[in-house]
Amino acid sequence: MQQTLPEEFYQWMEELQAVDFVLVELTLYLDTHPQDSNAVQQFNQFAQQRKKIKRAIESKYGPLQQYGNSYSGMPWNWNSGPWPWQI
């Protein structure tokens, strides 16, 4: 049974995916340009933005990641869908 969620959830997930994309690209760049202080600063800003988005989503809709990367509500709500990869 697929649960339908408000449009806000999908907008947040799209924003989270965009920030994740930027973080992956910056990580690849910084692997070869570790002294680029502007890129490091940009990475840290996006990492902070990602935490805020993730926290907002999880506070309203439940955990996004397992294995201690996200907290669970009570009762255990990791088994509530849709999961991030189902969107």
Side-chain angles (χ1 to χ4, degrees), residues 19 31 33 49 52-53 57 63 85:
V19 169
D31 284 347
H33 300 81
Q49 183 180 353
K52 287 179 184 177
I53 297 167
I57 295 169
W85 57 87

Side-chain angles (χ1 to χ4, degrees), residues 41-85:
Q41 181 181 7
Q42 193 176 29
F43 178 90
N44 289 333
Q45 288 172 343
F46 276 96
Q48 186 175 37
Q49 183 180 353
R50 186 191 193 287
K51 275 182 121 172
K52 287 179 184 177
I53 297 167
K54 181 177 177 267
R55 193 175 312 126
I57 295 169
E58 290 184 331
S59 70
K60 195 164 185 178
Y61 300 106
L64 292 175
Q65 296 178 306
Q66 184 49 290
Y67 307 112
N69 292 313
S70 295
Y71 295 102
S72 176
M74 186 63 184
W76 176 257
N77 58 355
W78 175 248
N79 58 353
S80 301
W83 292 314
W85 57 87

Side-chain angles (χ1 to χ4, degrees), residues 10-24 50 53 57 84-85 87:
Y10 299 100
Q11 291 170 351
W12 275 345
M13 289 302 293
E14 188 174 328
E15 187 176 348
L16 186 65
Q17 290 169 344
V19 169
D20 282 347
F21 177 82
V22 171
L23 287 169
V24 168
R50 186 191 193 287
I53 297 167
I57 295 169
W85 57 87
I87 309 174

